Amino acid sequence: MARTAVLGRLTWLVAAVTDTVTETPRVRTLILDVPALAGHRAGQHVDVRLTSEDGYQAERSYSIASAPGQPLALTVERLDDGEVSPYLVDDVVPGDKFELRGPIGGYFVWEPDGATEPIFLVAGGSGIVPLMAMLRQRRDAGSTVPAKLLYSSRTIEDVIYRDELQHIGADVVQTLTRAQPPGWQGYARRVDIQLLRDVAFPPEDNPRVFVCGPTSFVEAVAEGLVALGHRPGQIRTERFGGT
Amino acid sequence: MYGPGVGIVSRGFRGRGRGDDSGRLPPGQYLTDDFPVLSAGPTPHTPIDEWSFTISGGTEPVTWSWTEFRALPSETVTKDIHCVTKWSKFDTDWAGVSVDTLLEHVDYDRAYAVAYSDGGYTTNLPIEDLTGGKAWVAFGYDGEPLEPEHGGPARLLVPHLYFWKSAKWVRGLRLLDEDEPGFWETNGYHNYGDPWREQRYWGD
Amino acid sequence: MTHVDGNAIGGLLNDVFGREATDASGLCSTCGAENFVGALLVYRAAGVVVRCPACGAVLMRFVEGHGQVWVELGGLLGSGLEPLREGRVHVVDGG
């Protein structure tokens, strides 16, 4: 482990599932025990590798949902045509094991320590996961850095961490793009420039922006923020693929 | 897909692909019913009235516009295809112009070809692997016009080799005296790519 | 399947460079745009293709197989990233 720290080189470690939390009908959090894993930074991810009996291997990346200092948690969304996610969301039980490599990432990371600029976090669907690690760490640290989250989901049932977000200590703005419950007070459309203008810190506040979600969502949001006057250098993006 | 050191087996995990006993599956491949989309770059969208296909390296270059290309005799073929990333798909249906048909219009005396595509992709083959009924410029898949994400309006189809040789968005062939490794052949993938000899990487 | 970005290949980059690489930044050899590796566009084809977000030029290419990795890095300048000198890492010249 000391050698890993010196070289910065990652190796495959064994992760054991200790607990699972159903977040939404399609999303589950796995709590893991990975004895050899070094501490992580909020925003980082791990690579997960599964091997079947016949030796077939599949590898995917999942963002770390937990704040540094908390038991390692990955939040996984089941993709309809997925090969790995259905297994992790539907089949895995405590005691199951798989391989894991990480933590990975040095660009899409944030920590409250020494932070002075406000943070504007924009999440599309499961893009909330690495941003939640940031918000959890900010809460745990008692940080007073101004923080806003704009979180786009399809329906209220798809909102991950719904209850916890109400107590996360940040300004949380939600939009539900497909259907809204009776009495819904949030936005009810896809994120567009007008919505960004209404919700984001103004460019003069020089916020650090983190955008995560499907590729097309991330690119539309980043372009919109630049069009509103935010400096590209202040915007960091993580694309999850998909549509 | 076998990483250094065999991984611990995860209880109950099964990959999406399956094996096959028919003898039609090359070594190391898994059978799929999907048609995964893998692309080295963004999907080009060349307007059909700007599209052309050129074969150069003969005594003079020969070019077909889309209309001219579609007026050539074409055929439908059913083929098994094999991607180097380990998925295979049986009985895929294609409509296309045989490369033999195209080369009938070219006076050439060369041994190698490079297929080149919109977006800059290239792949190399011996001309022998493009002739004798082994290759097509395909404009239809599964009874429909070939979709852009699968290489439309037209792609090269060379099913006896790994599918990276079946260049999407193909715009022409350059015929050469000497072999000229292409986009992946210069970067670790095997220069020839026979799935039955499992020629995936350099040194295989 | 659409593209992703350099974050998605952080593990592969660590494998090749022996360190965290997504926070390295470099210049596109075609258009000069400067970006963090985490912000570069990543296409998964037969291998991995890394492209400049400004002009689309190929900056890096990776092919993994048999525990080896073949890597072409010619399109990204000034990043300070050095491939590991190990038998399994093969640096190739641009094609």
Side-chain angles (χ1 to χ4, degrees), chain C residues 48-86:
Chain C
V48 173
V49 182
V50 181
R51 291 183 179 269
C52 173
C55 76
V58 175
L59 305 185
M60 299 190 280
R61 266 178 268 204
F62 300 88
V63 169
E64 294 180 274
H66 299 327
Q68 320 274 307
V69 55
W70 288 269
V71 48
E72 201 257 309
L73 308 168
L76 187 68
L77 305 177
S79 68
L81 295 173
E82 285 292 330
L84 289 174
R85 295 192 182 289
E86 287 181 1

mmCIF file of all heavy atoms in Angstrom, chain C residues 48-86:
data_model
loop_
_atom_site.group_PDB
_atom_site.id
_atom_site.type_symbol
_atom_site.label_atom_id
_atom_site.label_comp_id
_atom_site.label_asym_id
_atom_site.label_seq_id
_atom_site.Cartn_x
_atom_site.Cartn_y
_atom_site.Cartn_z
ATOM 1 N N VAL C 48 -9.456 2.947 -27.962
ATOM 2 C CA VAL C 48 -9.898 4.213 -27.371
ATOM 3 C C VAL C 48 -9.281 5.370 -28.148
ATOM 4 O O VAL C 48 -8.073 5.383 -28.381
ATOM 5 C CB VAL C 48 -9.477 4.292 -25.888
ATOM 6 C CG1 VAL C 48 -9.773 5.672 -25.304
ATOM 7 C CG2 VAL C 48 -10.186 3.198 -25.087
ATOM 8 N N VAL C 49 -10.097 6.315 -28.558
ATOM 9 C CA VAL C 49 -9.625 7.488 -29.291
ATOM 10 C C VAL C 49 -9.932 8.730 -28.468
ATOM 11 O O VAL C 49 -11.072 8.932 -28.047
ATOM 12 C CB VAL C 49 -10.312 7.593 -30.669
ATOM 13 C CG1 VAL C 49 -9.765 8.792 -31.455
ATOM 14 C CG2 VAL C 49 -10.117 6.310 -31.462
ATOM 15 N N VAL C 50 -8.918 9.542 -28.227
ATOM 16 C CA VAL C 50 -9.069 10.763 -27.447
ATOM 17 C C VAL C 50 -8.949 11.950 -28.393
ATOM 18 O O VAL C 50 -7.954 12.055 -29.118
ATOM 19 C CB VAL C 50 -7.990 10.846 -26.343
ATOM 20 C CG1 VAL C 50 -8.167 12.116 -25.509
ATOM 21 C CG2 VAL C 50 -8.050 9.600 -25.453
ATOM 22 N N ARG C 51 -9.927 12.834 -28.392
ATOM 23 C CA ARG C 51 -9.971 13.933 -29.366
ATOM 24 C C ARG C 51 -10.041 15.293 -28.693
ATOM 25 O O ARG C 51 -10.553 15.444 -27.567
ATOM 26 C CB ARG C 51 -11.186 13.777 -30.287
ATOM 27 C CG ARG C 51 -11.082 12.586 -31.235
ATOM 28 C CD ARG C 51 -12.272 12.504 -32.174
ATOM 29 N NE ARG C 51 -12.166 11.384 -33.105
ATOM 30 C CZ ARG C 51 -11.603 11.478 -34.310
ATOM 31 N NH1 ARG C 51 -11.109 12.620 -34.738
ATOM 32 N NH2 ARG C 51 -11.546 10.407 -35.099
ATOM 33 N N CYS C 52 -9.582 16.281 -29.399
ATOM 34 C CA CYS C 52 -9.617 17.672 -28.941
ATOM 35 C C CYS C 52 -11.062 18.155 -28.947
ATOM 36 O O CYS C 52 -11.753 18.020 -29.961
ATOM 37 C CB CYS C 52 -8.774 18.525 -29.884
ATOM 38 S SG CYS C 52 -8.888 20.291 -29.544
ATOM 39 N N PRO C 53 -11.546 18.749 -27.840
ATOM 40 C CA PRO C 53 -12.923 19.240 -27.816
ATOM 41 C C PRO C 53 -13.140 20.442 -28.733
ATOM 42 O O PRO C 53 -14.268 20.714 -29.120
ATOM 43 C CB PRO C 53 -13.152 19.654 -26.359
ATOM 44 C CG PRO C 53 -11.908 19.408 -25.622
ATOM 45 C CD PRO C 53 -10.861 18.921 -26.557
ATOM 46 N N ALA C 54 -12.055 21.131 -29.088
ATOM 47 C CA ALA C 54 -12.210 22.307 -29.932
ATOM 48 C C ALA C 54 -12.255 21.955 -31.417
ATOM 49 O O ALA C 54 -13.104 22.454 -32.144
ATOM 50 C CB ALA C 54 -11.074 23.290 -29.661
ATOM 51 N N CYS C 55 -11.338 21.098 -31.860
ATOM 52 C CA CYS C 55 -11.253 20.852 -33.303
ATOM 53 C C CYS C 55 -11.472 19.398 -33.694
ATOM 54 O O CYS C 55 -11.528 19.091 -34.878
ATOM 55 C CB CYS C 55 -9.896 21.326 -33.848
ATOM 56 S SG CYS C 55 -8.522 20.210 -33.456
ATOM 57 N N GLY C 56 -11.569 18.497 -32.742
ATOM 58 C CA GLY C 56 -11.835 17.100 -33.079
ATOM 59 C C GLY C 56 -10.615 16.284 -33.476
ATOM 60 O O GLY C 56 -10.744 15.084 -33.731
ATOM 61 N N ALA C 57 -9.446 16.891 -33.503
ATOM 62 C CA ALA C 57 -8.254 16.142 -33.897
ATOM 63 C C ALA C 57 -7.953 15.030 -32.898
ATOM 64 O O ALA C 57 -8.226 15.161 -31.702
ATOM 65 C CB ALA C 57 -7.050 17.089 -33.994
ATOM 66 N N VAL C 58 -7.358 13.955 -33.409
ATOM 67 C CA VAL C 58 -6.978 12.842 -32.541
ATOM 68 C C VAL C 58 -5.736 13.234 -31.742
ATOM 69 O O VAL C 58 -4.713 13.608 -32.313
ATOM 70 C CB VAL C 58 -6.683 11.569 -33.380
ATOM 71 C CG1 VAL C 58 -6.159 10.455 -32.485
ATOM 72 C CG2 VAL C 58 -7.939 11.116 -34.107
ATOM 73 N N LEU C 59 -5.833 13.154 -30.416
ATOM 74 C CA LEU C 59 -4.707 13.509 -29.553
ATOM 75 C C LEU C 59 -3.995 12.276 -29.028
ATOM 76 O O LEU C 59 -2.772 12.269 -28.899
ATOM 77 C CB LEU C 59 -5.194 14.370 -28.379
ATOM 78 C CG LEU C 59 -5.968 15.630 -28.745
ATOM 79 C CD1 LEU C 59 -6.275 16.439 -27.489
ATOM 80 C CD2 LEU C 59 -5.213 16.484 -29.747
ATOM 81 N N MET C 60 -4.769 11.265 -28.695
ATOM 82 C CA MET C 60 -4.179 10.031 -28.176
ATOM 83 C C MET C 60 -5.015 8.853 -28.647
ATOM 84 O O MET C 60 -6.215 8.988 -28.918
ATOM 85 C CB MET C 60 -4.155 10.029 -26.637
ATOM 86 C CG MET C 60 -3.344 11.157 -26.017
ATOM 87 S SD MET C 60 -3.101 10.936 -24.212
ATOM 88 C CE MET C 60 -4.673 11.522 -23.595
ATOM 89 N N ARG C 61 -4.334 7.687 -28.737
ATOM 90 C CA ARG C 61 -5.043 6.456 -29.099
ATOM 91 C C ARG C 61 -4.539 5.357 -28.187
ATOM 92 O O ARG C 61 -3.346 5.307 -27.888
ATOM 93 C CB ARG C 61 -4.678 6.047 -30.523
ATOM 94 C CG ARG C 61 -5.584 6.517 -31.599
ATOM 95 C CD ARG C 61 -5.046 6.057 -32.926
ATOM 96 N NE ARG C 61 -4.192 7.078 -33.484
ATOM 97 C CZ ARG C 61 -3.937 7.189 -34.781
ATOM 98 N NH1 ARG C 61 -4.468 6.328 -35.619
ATOM 99 N NH2 ARG C 61 -3.150 8.138 -35.212
ATOM 100 N N PHE C 62 -5.398 4.451 -27.784
ATOM 101 C CA PHE C 62 -4.991 3.339 -26.930
ATOM 102 C C PHE C 62 -5.620 2.044 -27.445
ATOM 103 O O PHE C 62 -6.802 2.021 -27.781
ATOM 104 C CB PHE C 62 -5.472 3.552 -25.484
ATOM 105 C CG PHE C 62 -4.952 4.801 -24.833
ATOM 106 C CD1 PHE C 62 -5.627 6.007 -24.968
ATOM 107 C CD2 PHE C 62 -3.792 4.768 -24.066
ATOM 108 C CE1 PHE C 62 -5.150 7.169 -24.363
ATOM 109 C CE2 PHE C 62 -3.317 5.925 -23.452
ATOM 110 C CZ PHE C 62 -3.997 7.127 -23.597
ATOM 111 N N VAL C 63 -4.802 0.984 -27.458
ATOM 112 C CA VAL C 63 -5.336 -0.349 -27.749
ATOM 113 C C VAL C 63 -4.860 -1.268 -26.636
ATOM 114 O O VAL C 63 -3.666 -1.312 -26.336
ATOM 115 C CB VAL C 63 -4.830 -0.873 -29.112
ATOM 116 C CG1 VAL C 63 -5.171 -2.353 -29.283
ATOM 117 C CG2 VAL C 63 -5.416 -0.055 -30.244
ATOM 118 N N GLU C 64 -5.783 -1.968 -26.004
ATOM 119 C CA GLU C 64 -5.423 -2.904 -24.927
ATOM 120 C C GLU C 64 -5.676 -4.328 -25.376
ATOM 121 O O GLU C 64 -6.723 -4.620 -25.952
ATOM 122 C CB GLU C 64 -6.290 -2.638 -23.700
ATOM 123 C CG GLU C 64 -6.065 -1.304 -23.043
ATOM 124 C CD GLU C 64 -6.967 -1.123 -21.839
ATOM 125 O OE1 GLU C 64 -8.111 -0.687 -22.020
ATOM 126 O OE2 GLU C 64 -6.515 -1.426 -20.714
ATOM 127 N N GLY C 65 -4.722 -5.213 -25.086
ATOM 128 C CA GLY C 65 -4.940 -6.614 -25.404
ATOM 129 C C GLY C 65 -3.815 -7.468 -24.862
ATOM 130 O O GLY C 65 -2.668 -7.021 -24.830
ATOM 131 N N HIS C 66 -4.133 -8.682 -24.436
ATOM 132 C CA HIS C 66 -3.125 -9.606 -23.892
ATOM 133 C C HIS C 66 -2.331 -8.938 -22.768
ATOM 134 O O HIS C 66 -1.124 -9.166 -22.649
ATOM 135 C CB HIS C 66 -2.126 -10.031 -24.970
ATOM 136 C CG HIS C 66 -2.726 -10.745 -26.127
ATOM 137 N ND1 HIS C 66 -3.822 -11.571 -26.035
ATOM 138 C CD2 HIS C 66 -2.370 -10.751 -27.427
ATOM 139 C CE1 HIS C 66 -4.110 -12.054 -27.235
ATOM 140 N NE2 HIS C 66 -3.247 -11.575 -28.104
ATOM 141 N N GLY C 67 -2.974 -8.114 -21.979
ATOM 142 C CA GLY C 67 -2.261 -7.463 -20.888
ATOM 143 C C GLY C 67 -1.285 -6.384 -21.354
ATOM 144 O O GLY C 67 -0.549 -5.820 -20.554
ATOM 145 N N GLN C 68 -1.286 -6.097 -22.642
ATOM 146 C CA GLN C 68 -0.413 -5.050 -23.183
ATOM 147 C C GLN C 68 -1.258 -3.808 -23.472
ATOM 148 O O GLN C 68 -2.466 -3.894 -23.578
ATOM 149 C CB GLN C 68 0.200 -5.483 -24.534
ATOM 150 C CG GLN C 68 0.628 -6.919 -24.617
ATOM 151 C CD GLN C 68 2.019 -7.080 -24.092
ATOM 152 O OE1 GLN C 68 2.927 -6.374 -24.537
ATOM 153 N NE2 GLN C 68 2.206 -7.976 -23.150
ATOM 154 N N VAL C 69 -0.584 -2.694 -23.639
ATOM 155 C CA VAL C 69 -1.302 -1.520 -24.141
ATOM 156 C C VAL C 69 -0.412 -0.796 -25.138
ATOM 157 O O VAL C 69 0.766 -0.549 -24.865
ATOM 158 C CB VAL C 69 -1.771 -0.589 -22.993
ATOM 159 C CG1 VAL C 69 -0.626 -0.164 -22.103
ATOM 160 C CG2 VAL C 69 -2.507 0.619 -23.512
ATOM 161 N N TRP C 70 -0.979 -0.522 -26.320
ATOM 162 C CA TRP C 70 -0.282 0.231 -27.350
ATOM 163 C C TRP C 70 -0.843 1.642 -27.304
ATOM 164 O O TRP C 70 -2.071 1.839 -27.281
ATOM 165 C CB TRP C 70 -0.517 -0.382 -28.730
ATOM 166 C CG TRP C 70 0.205 -1.676 -28.913
ATOM 167 C CD1 TRP C 70 1.448 -1.860 -29.420
ATOM 168 C CD2 TRP C 70 -0.283 -2.988 -28.574
ATOM 169 N NE1 TRP C 70 1.777 -3.200 -29.423
ATOM 170 C CE2 TRP C 70 0.736 -3.911 -28.911
ATOM 171 C CE3 TRP C 70 -1.476 -3.478 -28.029
ATOM 172 C CZ2 TRP C 70 0.605 -5.283 -28.720
ATOM 173 C CZ3 TRP C 70 -1.612 -4.840 -27.823
ATOM 174 C CH2 TRP C 70 -0.576 -5.732 -28.176
ATOM 175 N N VAL C 71 0.040 2.617 -27.281
ATOM 176 C CA VAL C 71 -0.420 3.991 -27.076
ATOM 177 C C VAL C 71 0.268 4.946 -28.027
ATOM 178 O O VAL C 71 1.481 4.864 -28.248
ATOM 179 C CB VAL C 71 -0.222 4.398 -25.598
ATOM 180 C CG1 VAL C 71 1.169 4.039 -25.088
ATOM 181 C CG2 VAL C 71 -0.461 5.865 -25.375
ATOM 182 N N GLU C 72 -0.525 5.829 -28.606
ATOM 183 C CA GLU C 72 0.002 6.886 -29.464
ATOM 184 C C GLU C 72 -0.386 8.203 -28.826
ATOM 185 O O GLU C 72 -1.562 8.413 -28.522
ATOM 186 C CB GLU C 72 -0.594 6.754 -30.865
ATOM 187 C CG GLU C 72 0.222 7.448 -31.940
ATOM 188 C CD GLU C 72 -0.377 8.756 -32.390
ATOM 189 O OE1 GLU C 72 -1.568 8.766 -32.727
ATOM 190 O OE2 GLU C 72 0.322 9.764 -32.391
ATOM 191 N N LEU C 73 0.579 9.055 -28.586
ATOM 192 C CA LEU C 73 0.336 10.257 -27.784
ATOM 193 C C LEU C 73 0.683 11.535 -28.518
ATOM 194 O O LEU C 73 0.673 12.609 -27.923
ATOM 195 C CB LEU C 73 1.213 10.194 -26.518
ATOM 196 C CG LEU C 73 1.099 8.927 -25.705
ATOM 197 C CD1 LEU C 73 2.210 8.875 -24.672
ATOM 198 C CD2 LEU C 73 -0.254 8.897 -25.007
ATOM 199 N N GLY C 74 1.003 11.399 -29.813
ATOM 200 C CA GLY C 74 1.611 12.515 -30.533
ATOM 201 C C GLY C 74 0.765 13.770 -30.625
ATOM 202 O O GLY C 74 1.281 14.855 -30.844
ATOM 203 N N GLY C 75 -0.556 13.635 -30.478
ATOM 204 C CA GLY C 75 -1.404 14.799 -30.690
ATOM 205 C C GLY C 75 -1.505 15.727 -29.489
ATOM 206 O O GLY C 75 -1.992 16.846 -29.604
ATOM 207 N N LEU C 76 -1.050 15.266 -28.324
ATOM 208 C CA LEU C 76 -1.171 16.073 -27.108
ATOM 209 C C LEU C 76 0.209 16.576 -26.699
ATOM 210 O O LEU C 76 1.104 15.783 -26.441
ATOM 211 C CB LEU C 76 -1.768 15.241 -25.980
ATOM 212 C CG LEU C 76 -2.102 16.002 -24.698
ATOM 213 C CD1 LEU C 76 -3.257 16.970 -24.931
ATOM 214 C CD2 LEU C 76 -2.447 15.028 -23.575
ATOM 215 N N LEU C 77 0.360 17.873 -26.679
ATOM 216 C CA LEU C 77 1.679 18.461 -26.406
ATOM 217 C C LEU C 77 1.746 19.069 -25.019
ATOM 218 O O LEU C 77 0.759 19.626 -24.524
ATOM 219 C CB LEU C 77 1.979 19.557 -27.439
ATOM 220 C CG LEU C 77 1.896 19.147 -28.910
ATOM 221 C CD1 LEU C 77 2.148 20.355 -29.800
ATOM 222 C CD2 LEU C 77 2.901 18.041 -29.208
ATOM 223 N N GLY C 78 2.910 18.967 -24.429
ATOM 224 C CA GLY C 78 3.180 19.706 -23.203
ATOM 225 C C GLY C 78 2.464 19.218 -21.967
ATOM 226 O O GLY C 78 2.357 19.939 -20.981
ATOM 227 N N SER C 79 1.979 17.990 -21.983
ATOM 228 C CA SER C 79 1.212 17.512 -20.832
ATOM 229 C C SER C 79 2.094 17.048 -19.692
ATOM 230 O O SER C 79 1.640 16.921 -18.563
ATOM 231 C CB SER C 79 0.317 16.352 -21.256
ATOM 232 O OG SER C 79 1.119 15.218 -21.588
ATOM 233 N N GLY C 80 3.332 16.732 -20.005
ATOM 234 C CA GLY C 80 4.207 16.191 -18.977
ATOM 235 C C GLY C 80 3.933 14.731 -18.679
ATOM 236 O O GLY C 80 4.561 14.151 -17.790
ATOM 237 N N LEU C 81 3.018 14.109 -19.399
ATOM 238 C CA LEU C 81 2.706 12.699 -19.164
ATOM 239 C C LEU C 81 3.755 11.838 -19.857
ATOM 240 O O LEU C 81 3.993 11.976 -21.053
ATOM 241 C CB LEU C 81 1.316 12.363 -19.704
ATOM 242 C CG LEU C 81 0.152 13.059 -19.013
ATOM 243 C CD1 LEU C 81 -1.157 12.772 -19.743
ATOM 244 C CD2 LEU C 81 0.055 12.629 -17.556
ATOM 245 N N GLU C 82 4.337 10.942 -19.095
ATOM 246 C CA GLU C 82 5.348 10.031 -19.636
ATOM 247 C C GLU C 82 4.862 8.602 -19.467
ATOM 248 O O GLU C 82 4.590 8.197 -18.332
ATOM 249 C CB GLU C 82 6.671 10.201 -18.875
ATOM 250 C CG GLU C 82 7.437 11.461 -19.224
ATOM 251 C CD GLU C 82 7.961 11.413 -20.663
ATOM 252 O OE1 GLU C 82 8.237 10.298 -21.167
ATOM 253 O OE2 GLU C 82 8.073 12.485 -21.266
ATOM 254 N N PRO C 83 4.782 7.842 -20.549
ATOM 255 C CA PRO C 83 4.358 6.451 -20.397
ATOM 256 C C PRO C 83 5.352 5.684 -19.536
ATOM 257 O O PRO C 83 6.560 5.964 -19.575
ATOM 258 C CB PRO C 83 4.369 5.913 -21.826
ATOM 259 C CG PRO C 83 4.432 7.098 -22.713
ATOM 260 C CD PRO C 83 5.078 8.190 -21.942
ATOM 261 N N LEU C 84 4.835 4.732 -18.784
ATOM 262 C CA LEU C 84 5.699 3.895 -17.960
ATOM 263 C C LEU C 84 6.658 3.106 -18.849
ATOM 264 O O LEU C 84 6.283 2.662 -19.931
ATOM 265 C CB LEU C 84 4.840 2.905 -17.164
ATOM 266 C CG LEU C 84 4.005 3.495 -16.044
ATOM 267 C CD1 LEU C 84 3.096 2.428 -15.457
ATOM 268 C CD2 LEU C 84 4.885 4.107 -14.959
ATOM 269 N N ARG C 85 7.880 2.932 -18.365
ATOM 270 C CA ARG C 85 8.830 2.123 -19.121
ATOM 271 C C ARG C 85 8.693 0.682 -18.654
ATOM 272 O O ARG C 85 9.494 0.180 -17.878
ATOM 273 C CB ARG C 85 10.254 2.626 -18.876
ATOM 274 C CG ARG C 85 10.441 4.013 -19.415
ATOM 275 C CD ARG C 85 11.906 4.441 -19.457
ATOM 276 N NE ARG C 85 12.022 5.798 -19.931
ATOM 277 C CZ ARG C 85 11.812 6.183 -21.177
ATOM 278 N NH1 ARG C 85 11.482 5.306 -22.093
ATOM 279 N NH2 ARG C 85 11.927 7.451 -21.540
ATOM 280 N N GLU C 86 7.639 0.063 -19.110
ATOM 281 C CA GLU C 86 7.413 -1.336 -18.769
ATOM 282 C C GLU C 86 7.192 -2.088 -20.061
ATOM 283 O O GLU C 86 6.668 -1.542 -21.023
ATOM 284 C CB GLU C 86 6.133 -1.492 -17.933
ATOM 285 C CG GLU C 86 6.271 -1.004 -16.526
ATOM 286 C CD GLU C 86 5.003 -1.184 -15.719
ATOM 287 O OE1 GLU C 86 3.999 -1.713 -16.254
ATOM 288 O OE2 GLU C 86 5.022 -0.791 -14.545
#
